[in-house]
Amino acid sequence: KASIAGKTITLDDVQVVNGLQTTTTIYNYLRDSEIKEKDKDRSILVRVIVANDDIRDKVIKATNFQNSIPIASLRATESLQRDIEDYFKKHDYYYDRRKNYYKNIGKPVERIISIPYLAQAIMAILLREPDNARARPSSLIKKDEDYKRVFNDTIEPSIYMFCALMMKKVDIFNRSAENEIPELYRNNLKFHIAMILVIKLLSKVNYEVDDIKEIIESVPKDKEISEAASFCKRIADGYIEKNNLQLERIAKSRDFVKYLLNEVEKSL
């Protein structure tokens, strides 16, 4: 709210958009008497906008287009992003729709899931494109068409959470002493491992969103993750030898994913 009486504007529930440097300067001015005296004749321009959530989100986007803001942060105000955040919170996980918000209020880092991390998990597991998840972490949802494939109103929040937690399980296993595959494989093939793990759990390569619901409560055992990791390493080694390529390259290759899917189908 904003009400004007003479030359005074009274504001309720104020939110500052794109004003970190300005508000810091005001704070320093009020705190330091020397600055106060030196800068007493200075002024700043302030725009006061009384707005609902929809208008506020548009103002945030428009104001921040002048800066180098990650595309994920500009998507963060959309209703689907809010729905995912609410669902995660009900299950004691924190979807970092507003970057570093939960870290700054002291939530455990291991229970915080960022927008890019979730996008990679969806791309690898639900869309079966671990090559894209590995190759394009920073630009995965930059284009509208890519964003709509990953963040879609037809996908239930529970599916988003399933994919995020599957990816978390793989990451935790990759850091554990039980994991016997070399670190280079862990870093390059973790998205492939997550995809293979889900295929093994479903005993189905060409699964759909509804198929995921059948294993939504599944908590994969370390042995199952280890088997998926060993399978990916063995197939990768054969592909590398056959095509004389490096691991980093095949991890980002669509041809390798097709080869991997074909091999895992034979094993089911």
Side-chain angles (χ1 to χ4, degrees), residues 21 29 31 35 38 60 79 89 96 109 113 118 126 138 144 149 151 163 175 186 196-197 202 207 209 211 229 244 261:
Q21 289 172 311
Y29 170 81
R31 185 187 60 174
I35 296 177
K38 184 179 71 173
I60 290 170
S79 58
K89 200 181 295 183
D96 207 30
V109 173
I113 295 164
L118 181 58
L126 196 60
S138 60
D144 280 345
R149 291 174 65 222
F151 292 106
C163 291
R175 295 193 297 269
R186 302 180 199 185
I196 292 298
L197 178 61
L202 285 169
Y207 55 81
V209 175
D211 295 316
N244 194 29
L261 291 172

Side-chain angles (χ1 to χ4, degrees), residues 219-252:
V219 180
K221 299 173 183 176
D222 283 352
K223 182 182 178 184
E224 293 172 315
I225 302 174
S226 178
E227 288 172 354
S230 296
F231 178 85
C232 284
K233 180 184 182 300
R234 178 167 59 81
I235 301 303
D237 284 341
Y239 191 85
I240 289 168
E241 185 177 353
K242 182 180 177 181
N243 296 280
N244 194 29
L245 297 170
Q246 292 184 325
L247 178 61
E248 293 91 334
R249 182 174 173 183
I250 71 162
K252 302 174 184 179

Side-chain angles (χ1 to χ4, degrees), residues 21-136:
Q21 289 172 311
T22 305
T23 49
T24 301
T25 302
I26 292 171
Y27 170 77
N28 289 334
Y29 170 81
L30 293 172
R31 185 187 60 174
D32 192 316
S33 57
E34 289 185 19
I35 296 177
K36 223 172 195 177
E37 182 59 31
K38 184 179 71 173
D39 293 342
K40 63 182 180 181
D41 295 324
R42 295 178 67 187
S43 59
I44 61 170
L45 173 66
V46 177
R47 288 177 291 169
V48 178
I49 302 171
V50 179
N52 57 30
D53 284 348
D54 183 53
I55 296 297
R56 183 194 62 201
D57 291 345
K58 290 178 180 177
V59 170
I60 290 170
K61 281 189 178 181
T63 306
N64 280 296
F65 271 126
Q66 64 184 288
N67 301 321
S68 180
I69 303 295
I71 193 69
S73 297
L74 294 177
R75 300 282 195 185
T77 60
E78 297 179 2
S79 58
L80 176 60
Q81 296 292 332
R82 296 175 189 273
D83 291 343
I84 295 170
E85 181 183 25
D86 290 342
Y87 185 87
F88 277 42
K89 200 181 295 183
K90 287 176 185 175
H91 294 81
D92 293 324
Y93 279 89
Y94 305 96
Y95 182 52
D96 207 30
R97 183 174 64 82
R98 294 156 292 177
K99 188 175 181 182
N100 290 331
Y101 172 77
Y102 288 109
K103 179 183 176 183
N104 290 338
I105 63 172
K107 296 301 180 183
V109 173
E110 66 272 12
R111 301 189 79 84
I112 297 173
I113 295 164
S114 69
I115 294 179
Y117 187 90
L118 181 58
Q120 285 177 298
I122 292 294
M123 187 66 77
I125 295 170
L126 196 60
L127 302 180
R128 294 188 295 281
E129 296 181 18
D131 49 318
N132 268 330
R134 172 67 182 85
R136 303 195 293 129

